[in-house]
Amino acid sequence: MGMVKMEHVNIYGPERDPQATLEVLARAACFQPDDAAESINAATGQAENKYTPLLNQTLGLIKDLGQDNHLLAYDGRMYEYKDVRRDVEKLAEQVAERNRQETEINAKLTTYEQTKAQLYHLTGLKTSIDEIFSCKYLKVRFGRLPKDSFIKLPYYEEHSFTFHEYDFDGEYYWGMYFVPEDKAHEVDDIFASLYFERVWVPDFVHGTPQDAIAQIITEENELRARQKELKNNAQLADEKMLEYLRRCAAWLNYESQIYDMYKYVIVLEHTYYISGYVPCDEVERVKNALAILPGVRLCRDSELEDAETPPDRKPPVKLKNNWLFRPFEMFVDMYGLPEYGDLDPTGFVAITYAVLFGIMFGDVGQGILLGLIGYFIMYKKMHMQIGLVLSRCSIFSTLFGFVYGSVFGFEHALDGFYRMLGFAEKPMDVLEPNSIIVLLVSSVIAGIFLIAAAMITGILSCIRRGLWPEAVFSVNGVAGLVFYFSLLATLVELALGYSVPFVCTPAFYVLCLVVPFLCIYFSEFICARIKGKPVEETVGEIFMNGFFEVFDALLSFASNTMSFLRVGGFALAHAGMMTMVFTLSDMTTNPILYWLIVLVGNLFVMALEGLFVGIQVLRLEFYEMFSRFFDATGRPFDPLRVRLDGTKAEN
């Protein structure tokens, strides 16, 4: 258990493009650059990444060609940027022209379809539309008139117009009216009041409606043939060209990622400079990889004379645990990494999480099944890290299942096994009244020791980081630990009547309650004075802050301790839910239905209880224990690397 030891290194190279150096570091995947260079380059300004826009354009072009634009894995081929850009833009122009033509064709087809629908209503007209519109002294209006308005036309006979209908569709009369040119405005107003909907005959309509429809159908067929021809992308890009575009996209993705790494490079006169962290056991490998580049060298900080480590420099954190504890790193990452050089809480989490889970989910059969599901289905098949966590927790679920004597909810399935071992009965019947009290009290006692373990871990962490005033005087330091156990001892003595040696004596009150109380009350002031820092608060503010500090300490001690009752509570809930399953199954006399209820009930309890228990144990870890010793101020180790598997670079 612990962290990978990091070493700060400096890489120097001659004044030329540092891409080769960045490529070596990215392939090594174990070098994390400093943030300082990024800040400097952000302030001075860095040229925009020219590869990303062209990459997006290339992927968009492949998609416009109707192909899958998923990135291919980069195969190492190199291209000239200007050549790729020229080819992509040339093909993009051709695709844009085809798209423009296709848009025009679609618009024409839509117009033709609408015109045909209108002309079908005028097929009764035997006269050429061109002859009708050629009349010099008459105006002609094509359209449709609602049937309710059509019957009102006789009321307007005195006006100079003639309406000819050619079709009736059940709602509208389709036709046209003729009106002298000098009366057109007056008659148009009349027909507008009758809700006449005028149809504008396009310029391409000639001859009779029948002739126009036939001509439109002919032109539609020609347009659809051209449309089909335009959709044939093979004319623009055959398989060879598509493969070329995909390879170019993979190369652009690679170059884009490398270019984004330039922000970590500082150019000083005739030298470029890159600094960062490498795991100690990887330094030689990186150094040997860089040795093939002319003029490039790697220097350790330890090799530099009078090298001073800046006080604000914080190495990245990479946790290092054995195979048993490693899956629990996901919980540490979820909460936040410890600072470099601090204690790694993964082992603490692994043990406490698995044990508490086992107590709350104790069943031999369900524990074994949970482990199999977690490892073979959730981890192996679904690639979920939580599957490895469940496989570890299942070990303790099975062990505590032997304590409870439960196998898939059958509470007496192991009675013969216990008698064979010389026991009269199983160690604990969870639902018996005496066992309930023992289970709940044991949960609180276990919580007390876990809280104390968390506080001791916090004290060791403070000492390791050189924060010994906080280790002694803070609420999670020695003062808080003494105060917490003294309160518990006083409670046992006064409330429960158990005699505890040295408790409730004047010396006890002074040394174990009053002194720790004052240390916690004035902890911020004491720590600041010991460190030589100025105290900016007034006396009143110091007393007010101390009051809230002690109040919060008392409240957290009480709530954190009682929170562990949930451990016994969920153990009881698990047994109670299985009792309900067997109550339902016993209500049937059909053996098949009985075992079906037992099977479904077990699966339901496993899913529901497993989810709830997992969340509740994680809550105990984060709120009752982590908060007492874990600052989570570390930054993760995120080395430079290039994704060559077809994953697009993130901007």
Side-chain angles (χ1 to χ4, degrees), residues 87 126 332 347 358 393 490 512:
D87 296 339
K126 306 302 181 183
V332 179
C393 293
T490 303
C512 298

Side-chain angles (χ1 to χ4, degrees), residues 47-59:
E48 184 179 356
N49 189 336
K50 64 180 181 179
Y51 297 100
T52 301
L54 186 56
L55 169 62
N56 294 331
Q57 184 181 8
T58 305
L59 293 176

Side-chain angles (χ1 to χ4, degrees), residues 312-377:
D312 58 344
R313 178 185 291 174
K314 293 183 178 180
V317 176
K318 182 180 181 181
L319 302 179
K320 181 180 180 181
N321 290 279
N322 57 43
W323 68 272
L324 184 62
F325 294 162
R326 193 175 302 124
F328 294 90
E329 289 179 359
M330 63 178 294
F331 293 145
V332 179
D333 290 336
M334 192 184 303
Y335 190 86
L337 291 172
E339 191 172 312
Y340 182 80
D342 200 354
L343 294 175
D344 176 14
T346 304
F348 182 87
V349 174
I351 296 173
T352 56
Y353 190 95
V355 172
L356 291 175
F357 189 99
I359 296 173
M360 300 162 74
F361 194 85
D363 188 287
V364 176
Q366 292 181 5
I368 295 174
L369 183 59
L370 181 69
L372 296 175
I373 293 174
Y375 185 77
F376 290 103
I377 296 179

Side-chain angles (χ1 to χ4, degrees), residues 58-209:
T58 305
L59 293 176
L61 176 60
I62 296 173
K63 186 176 182 180
D64 291 339
L65 291 171
Q67 303 295 320
D68 181 13
N69 64 348
H70 180 74
L71 277 167
L72 298 179
Y74 180 54
D75 59 0
R77 301 182 192 179
M78 304 297 292
Y79 302 89
E80 287 291 335
Y81 175 83
K82 60 180 182 179
D83 294 339
V84 174
R85 181 177 179 180
R86 181 198 63 222
D87 296 339
V88 170
E89 289 181 348
K90 180 181 178 180
L91 190 56
E93 290 175 0
Q94 297 177 16
V95 171
E97 175 61 24
R98 291 169 73 96
N99 290 339
R100 185 190 64 78
Q101 294 180 22
E102 192 171 354
T103 301
E104 290 180 356
I105 290 174
N106 290 334
K108 286 183 179 180
L109 289 174
T110 302
T111 302
Y112 283 166
E113 195 65 32
Q114 295 173 349
T115 303
K116 282 195 307 180
Q118 296 166 356
L119 291 176
Y120 278 129
H121 295 290
L122 302 176
T123 52
L125 178 64
K126 306 302 181 183
T127 307
S128 172
I129 293 176
D130 299 295
E131 294 179 1
I132 294 175
F133 281 112
S134 66
C135 296
K136 293 184 179 180
Y137 304 106
L138 291 176
K139 293 293 183 181
V140 183
R141 306 288 189 257
F142 288 93
R144 64 180 187 175
L145 188 69
K147 63 180 182 179
D148 294 337
S149 299
F150 180 77
I151 61 178
K152 298 178 183 178
L153 288 179
Y155 294 106
Y156 301 96
E157 289 181 348
E158 69 276 8
H159 295 276
S160 302
F161 71 87
T162 302
F163 183 81
H164 296 278
E165 71 277 6
Y166 296 100
D167 186 30
F168 177 66
D169 61 7
E171 293 291 335
Y172 293 92
Y173 285 90
W174 291 78
M176 60 183 174
Y177 65 86
F178 297 86
V179 59
E181 187 174 2
D182 58 340
K183 300 291 185 179
H185 183 70
E186 176 185 352
V187 174
D188 286 343
D189 289 342
I190 292 173
F191 273 86
S193 66
L194 293 174
Y195 302 104
F196 177 79
E197 298 179 18
R198 186 174 178 181
V199 174
W200 299 90
V201 180
D203 295 337
F204 57 80
V205 175
H206 302 286
T208 64

Side-chain angles (χ1 to χ4, degrees), residues 201-379:
V201 180
D203 295 337
F204 57 80
V205 175
H206 302 286
T208 64
Q210 297 91 330
D211 295 337
I213 291 173
Q215 180 63 30
I216 288 174
I217 291 175
T218 300
E219 294 187 13
E220 279 183 327
N221 292 334
E222 294 176 356
L223 289 174
R224 288 195 174 94
R226 176 57 180 163
Q227 187 182 49
K228 185 177 181 180
E229 183 181 346
L230 290 174
K231 289 183 179 297
N232 184 11
N233 295 312
Q235 296 179 352
L236 282 180
D238 55 14
E239 286 298 325
K240 184 177 180 181
M241 175 57 72
L242 290 171
E243 181 68 15
Y244 169 73
L245 291 176
R246 292 191 181 98
R247 294 300 175 188
C248 288
W251 171 74
L252 288 169
N253 182 44
Y254 171 79
E255 293 291 340
S256 176
Q257 295 179 73
I258 294 296
Y259 191 88
D260 285 339
M261 298 176 190
Y262 276 62
K263 61 187 175 184
Y264 302 116
V265 181
I266 299 177
V267 179
L268 299 173
E269 296 182 352
H270 302 291
T271 305
Y272 64 81
Y273 167 78
I274 311 172
S275 66
Y277 291 92
V278 179
C280 289
D281 55 356
E282 298 281 358
V283 174
E284 287 301 321
R285 182 170 70 89
V286 176
K287 190 173 184 178
N288 294 333
L290 292 171
I292 63 175
L293 302 178
V296 178
R297 60 193 181 93
L298 180 147
C299 295
R300 305 170 185 252
D301 276 8
S302 57
E303 297 173 350
L304 300 176
E305 296 182 1
D306 301 328
E308 294 184 2
T309 302
D312 58 344
R313 178 185 291 174
K314 293 183 178 180
V317 176
K318 182 180 181 181
L319 302 179
K320 181 180 180 181
N321 290 279
N322 57 43
W323 68 272
L324 184 62
F325 294 162
R326 193 175 302 124
F328 294 90
E329 289 179 359
M330 63 178 294
F331 293 145
V332 179
D333 290 336
M334 192 184 303
Y335 190 86
L337 291 172
E339 191 172 312
Y340 182 80
D342 200 354
L343 294 175
D344 176 14
T346 304
F348 182 87
V349 174
I351 296 173
T352 56
Y353 190 95
V355 172
L356 291 175
F357 189 99
I359 296 173
M360 300 162 74
F361 194 85
D363 188 287
V364 176
Q366 292 181 5
I368 295 174
L369 183 59
L370 181 69
L372 296 175
I373 293 174
Y375 185 77
F376 290 103
I377 296 179
M378 299 181 70
Y379 176 66

